[in-house]
Amino acid sequence: MILIGGPYVGEFKYEVLTFRPYLQWLIKYTNPESVYIHTHSNRAFLYDFIDSDNIIPVYEHISREEKGQIGYIHEDVDSKLFQSLVKDIKNNVCQLEDCTKKEIEIYNLNYVKSTPHLSIYKKKFSPIEVPDMPNPYKDKIIFIPHNSEKREILKKVRCFLRDYDDLVIAGNCRTRFRKHNVVLKMIDYYENGLKLLIKMISEAKAVICPISFWTTICNLQHVPVFSWGSNAGQHKEGGIYHFQNEKCVAFPSNDINIILRMIEGFIQEIYNGNNGK
């Protein structure tokens, strides 16, 4: 059996939290002869567990228009076009493998706006292989001001962190303070922005962000991380997104005074070597 994963035209968050681990689970339990993935070309680095020649990119304009990626879908790709993509990738793989369509199984996420939940029992998580590229921000404190948190709170956190010389603000298009974001300033952001961001996180002294999928990525990569907000339990010991990262501090509070005190204590522990790598 030949397995095709995709097409995937949705946002980075759900590629990390759902699509990638779902494919890993499928591969483990179906044991296919070959695996192909139809997704964004600039995220091919996420799939270190398959042959790079078997990653077939979706249309480039779909990947470049990052803001149009919402949940599992893209606002410029209706259900009719999505089914056309399914048909095209299946025909493409038939030619590449010199096989019939009956020998192919294609799996994708439900192409609906609601972003339906996928059971944790149909996911297999593994660390993301650190991209092989220069990282001018190694051993920095990375602040990712994800827009799940109010701007006022994030602004106070940013002002507090200014006292630290090794602070860097990073993130993708769904993070605040864009003009301070070293990744979004990259000329080749589309090609290499997310790759550098994963490398920055993986080689960071510590990461600070509101609880979000960035916290999940830090735990996957076993990086010291401080996060605050709702669903903290998912990222703490025993939570589904903890991944045995003993360097994670997930705090269930939105009180800015408490958050700042906790951040200060967390950073001091990092500097003193009590929570570092």
Side-chain angles (χ1 to χ4, degrees), residues 133-244:
M133 63 188 302
N135 176 15
Y137 307 106
K138 187 175 181 180
D139 293 323
K140 299 290 187 181
I141 295 175
I142 310 297
F143 176 40
I144 305 179
H146 189 251
N147 61 11
S148 59
E149 180 58 280
K150 296 177 181 177
R151 179 180 176 83
E152 294 76 15
I153 296 289
L154 292 172
K155 188 175 181 179
K156 290 179 180 179
V157 172
R158 179 169 67 90
C159 289
F160 175 80
L161 292 173
R162 282 177 178 170
D163 291 339
Y164 297 94
D165 294 334
D166 50 359
L167 173 72
V168 175
I169 296 177
N172 65 353
C173 72
R174 289 180 169 84
T175 47
R176 303 189 191 276
F177 314 130
R178 295 173 65 90
K179 69 179 182 179
H180 302 287
N181 190 319
V182 298
V183 176
L184 291 179
K185 288 180 180 179
M186 294 171 61
I187 296 175
D188 60 344
Y189 170 76
Y190 166 70
E191 292 83 4
N192 293 310
L194 292 174
K195 290 172 65 176
L196 177 60
L197 189 48
I198 293 299
K199 191 172 182 72
M200 287 173 64
I201 289 171
S202 302
E203 297 178 346
K205 182 177 293 181
V207 176
I208 296 171
C209 60
I211 288 176
S212 61
F213 77 101
W214 296 112
T215 316
T216 309
I217 290 175
C218 290
N219 281 353
L220 264 182
Q221 305 302 98
H222 280 207
V223 174
V225 56
F226 177 89
S227 286
W228 71 92
S230 58
N231 296 321
Q234 293 184 344
H235 293 88
K236 297 170 70 173
E237 186 174 0
I240 59 173
Y241 297 136
H242 183 248
F243 308 127
Q244 289 76 53

